[in-house]
């Protein structure tokens, strides 16, 4: 993960009275998450901005991962359902073995490589500034120091990556051995020796399978195969199911979260209980089924600030105190550029013009229409057959 074992602090696995989710205009690149490591007693750090492989076709996944690494992204959001872990591994192996110099860039034009490097440099520079501002210079040198080249640097490069994987509904099982086997198979496919976060992709099975699968993930955490456990698309009732079972609460909850559906009840529960919140990739908001009027407001703001609409959403989630994992393909030049634009450096270019003002944030917070997943037509943890209509949402089905 993005902090070596020397950065792991003891932390209580009970709920905290201090809210976990803190809004800040200029948050540092790493967010501490709780209940990690053996027995859930440690804190590790997750890069606040990652890159999601949702909807990226397997034949583009290796190249997309290459471009993201070049843009300075070190947090990758993968899943069994995305069917691309083997292709992601192709790139990660080259990076882990040799470093950025080992990546295959023969398809890329020099100006694209230059642009991605400038995004990466902007992220590093901004990270140093935020660490300095918070008075933690010592940690900044260890977090941002270049890793040694060649095989000697493999461990350092692996510790600098954060790999977040999601277990599919088909892999959920009352038989914990099957769940553990499925996760270990994905660790082997990715070639990363362990995973930093493993989450249940959705609650759309049943109580027995959800809890048995979740227990199996905690077992993997306690055995050192994964460093933290999470859930995706869980509403409050599903989170309380874990609590009632007397199990450690998740380190992270990932939701389809945007100004158009802020899931205030889930966010409040998470903040009270020491759970970090992550925004899943947004890929359908701009479509015909998206929130047309509200999208126009985002569009107007983006124009005014010379940013893209996606960058506005990334900044919104960053300043809210959330993690976010935007996505982009790499088939066109615009898509390749978007990988850099939506990175930590891309939304922190020098000059600070990207920061959203309080007025901007208030405008965005006023766009909440409770937009349901069923209306958007996403398939991130579920299939066509699960969706019953426009009002369908995975977070609030009766368990």
């Amino acid at each position: 993960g993005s902090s070596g074992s020397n950065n792991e602090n003891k932390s209580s696995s009970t709920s905290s009275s201090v809210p976990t989710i803190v809004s800040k205009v200029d948050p540092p690149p790493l967010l501490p998450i709780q209940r990690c490591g053996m027995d859930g007693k440690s804190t590790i750090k997750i890069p606040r901005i990652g890159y999601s492989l949702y909807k990226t076709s397997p034949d583009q996944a290796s190249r997309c991962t290459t471009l993201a690494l070049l843009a300075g992204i070190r947090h990758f959001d993968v899943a069994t359902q995305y069917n691309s872990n083997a292709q992601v591994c192709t790139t990660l192996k080259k990076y882990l073995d040799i470093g950025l110099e080992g990546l295959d860039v023969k398809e890329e034009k020099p100006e694209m490589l230059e642009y991605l490097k400038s995004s990466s440099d902007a992220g590093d520079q901004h990270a140093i500034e935020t660490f300095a501002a918070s008075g933690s210079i010592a940690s900044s040198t260890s977090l941002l120091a270049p890793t040694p080249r060649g095989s000697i640097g493999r461990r350092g490069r692996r510790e600098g990556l954060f790999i977040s994987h999601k277990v599919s509904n088909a892999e959920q099982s009352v038989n914990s051995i099957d769940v553990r086997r499925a996760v270990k198979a994905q660790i082997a496919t990715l070639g990363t020796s362990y995973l930093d976060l493993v989450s249940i992709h959705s609650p759309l099975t049943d109580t027995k399978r959800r809890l048995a699968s979740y227990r199996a993930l905690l077992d993997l955490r306690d055995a050192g195969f994964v460093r933290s456990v999470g859930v995706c698309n869980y509403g409050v009732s599903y989170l309380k199911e874990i609590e009632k079972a007397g199990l450690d609460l998740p380190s992270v909850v990932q939701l389809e979260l945007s100004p158009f559906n802020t899931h205030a009840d889930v966010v409040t529960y998470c903040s009270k209980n020491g759970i970090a919140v992550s925004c899943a990739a947004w890929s359908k908001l701009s479509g015909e089924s998206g929130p047309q009027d509200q999208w126009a407001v985002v569009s107007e703001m983006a124009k005014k600030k010379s940013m893209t609409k996606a960058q506005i959403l990334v900044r919104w989630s960053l300043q809210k105190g959330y993690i976010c994992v935007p996505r982009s393909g790499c088939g066109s030049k615009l898509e390749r550029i978007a990988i850099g634009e939506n990175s930590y450096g891309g939304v922190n270019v020098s000059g600070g013009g990207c920061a959203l003002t309080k007025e901007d944030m208030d405008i965005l917070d006023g766009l909440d229409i409770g937009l349901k997943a069923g209306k958007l037509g996403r398939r991130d943890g579920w299939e066509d057959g699960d969706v019953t209509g426009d009002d369908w949402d995975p977070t609030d089905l009766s368990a």
Side-chain angles (χ1 to χ4, degrees):
S2 286
S3 63
S5 52
N6 58 331
N7 283 340
E8 295 197 357
N9 313 309
K10 296 295 172 203
S11 84
S12 148
S13 58
T14 53
S15 66
S16 70
S17 53
V18 182
T20 311
I21 300 164
V22 181
S23 297
K24 208 174 175 192
V25 175
D26 196 15
L30 302 172
L31 174 72
I33 55 174
Q34 301 178 24
R35 291 178 288 277
C36 308
M38 309 275 189
D39 302 324
K41 296 285 191 285
S42 302
T43 300
I44 62 173
K45 290 177 177 162
I46 182 171
R48 289 176 193 265
I49 299 180
Y51 174 78
S52 171
L53 274 294
Y54 170 61
K55 273 188 70 184
T56 298
S57 62
D59 62 345
Q60 286 191 2
S62 179
R63 186 180 181 188
C64 285
T65 306
T66 296
L67 296 171
L69 284 166
L70 293 169
I73 294 163
R74 296 293 178 268
H75 167 186
F76 292 90
D77 183 80
V78 301
T80 304
Q81 193 193 349
Y82 302 164
N83 288 317
S84 57
N85 281 356
Q87 290 77 10
V88 170
C89 168
T90 310
T91 293
L92 291 183
K93 183 175 182 341
K94 289 173 185 162
Y95 172 70
L96 289 170
D97 287 349
I98 302 167
L100 292 174
E101 312 84 77
L103 298 178
D104 177 6
V105 295
K106 56 181 180 291
E107 277 185 273
E108 313 310 335
K109 293 195 160 70
E111 54 269 32
M112 180 61 67
L113 295 175
E114 211 168 291
Y115 170 69
L116 294 170
K117 184 173 188 321
S118 72
S119 299
S120 180
D121 290 348
D124 279 349
Q125 185 54 43
H126 196 79
I128 291 166
E129 287 163 17
T130 60
F131 285 123
S134 66
S136 54
I137 298 279
S139 66
S140 75
T141 49
S142 60
L143 283 167
L144 296 166
T147 47
R149 288 168 181 246
S151 60
I152 191 170
R154 191 180 207 280
R155 184 176 167 189
R157 284 190 288 274
R158 175 63 190 93
E159 286 178 359
L161 282 177
F162 195 101
I163 309 295
S164 168
H165 171 69
K166 300 194 272 272
V167 170
S168 71
N169 298 348
E171 289 170 322
Q172 286 189 44
S173 170
V174 291
N175 183 343
S176 65
I177 292 173
D178 289 346
V179 179
R180 294 200 300 268
R181 195 174 284 148
V183 173
K184 287 176 184 175
Q186 293 298 333
I187 294 173
T189 301
L190 285 159
T192 53
S193 67
Y194 60 90
L195 292 165
D196 299 280
L197 172 66
V198 177
S199 303
I200 288 180
H201 205 153
S202 94
L204 303 182
T205 53
D206 54 67
T207 302
K208 276 187 175 162
R209 273 188 289 175
R210 280 193 297 271
L211 287 175
S213 303
Y214 187 79
R215 268 195 194 94
L217 298 187
L218 290 175
D219 290 343
L220 286 167
R221 179 200 69 183
D222 294 346
F225 289 98
V226 311
R227 300 178 78 211
S228 58
V229 173
V231 294
C232 304
N233 307 299
Y234 270 47
V236 174
S237 62
Y238 296 126
L239 291 166
K240 285 186 170 166
E241 177 180 272
I242 294 172
E243 199 181 348
K244 280 186 196 126
L247 301 172
D248 271 2
L249 285 170
S251 299
V252 179
V253 172
Q254 188 183 83
L255 295 165
E256 185 173 48
L257 187 71
S258 72
F260 319 117
N261 189 350
T262 58
H263 287 289
D265 58 334
V266 185
V267 171
T268 301
Y269 178 91
C270 288
S271 193
K272 278 183 186 158
N273 288 284
I275 302 169
V277 167
S278 175
C279 306
W282 308 283
S283 62
K284 291 280 191 173
L285 292 176
S286 56
E288 283 171 30
S289 57
Q292 300 288 314
D293 297 349
Q294 290 76 12
W295 193 244
V297 174
V298 175
S299 199
E300 190 58 37
M301 188 180 291
K303 208 175 293 173
K304 196 177 77 187
K305 298 181 82 73
S306 303
M307 291 163 71
T308 67
K309 294 183 278 293
Q311 284 179 311
I312 295 283
L313 294 179
V314 172
R315 278 301 318 190
W316 173 83
S317 50
L318 195 61
Q319 292 182 212
K320 280 289 203 182
Y322 306 150
I323 299 154
C324 75
V325 287
R327 72 158 302 280
S328 176
C330 60
S332 69
K333 183 182 173 184
L334 278 178
E335 287 178 297
R336 294 192 287 277
I337 287 172
I339 294 176
E341 284 173 341
N342 298 333
S343 67
Y344 182 77
V347 297
N348 277 303
V349 285
S350 55
C354 293
L356 301 177
T357 63
K358 186 183 181 311
E359 185 193 4
D360 294 332
M361 291 297 282
D362 289 346
I363 289 169
L364 294 171
D365 287 343
L367 300 178
D368 191 356
I369 51 169
L371 184 71
K372 302 288 191 220
K375 177 101 169 75
L376 277 178
R378 279 167 60 99
R379 300 294 177 262
D380 194 0
W382 52 90
E383 307 295 341
D384 286 346
D386 295 314
V387 180
T388 53
D390 282 0
D391 284 340
W392 181 91
D393 200 86
T395 60
D396 57 14
L397 300 171
S398 53

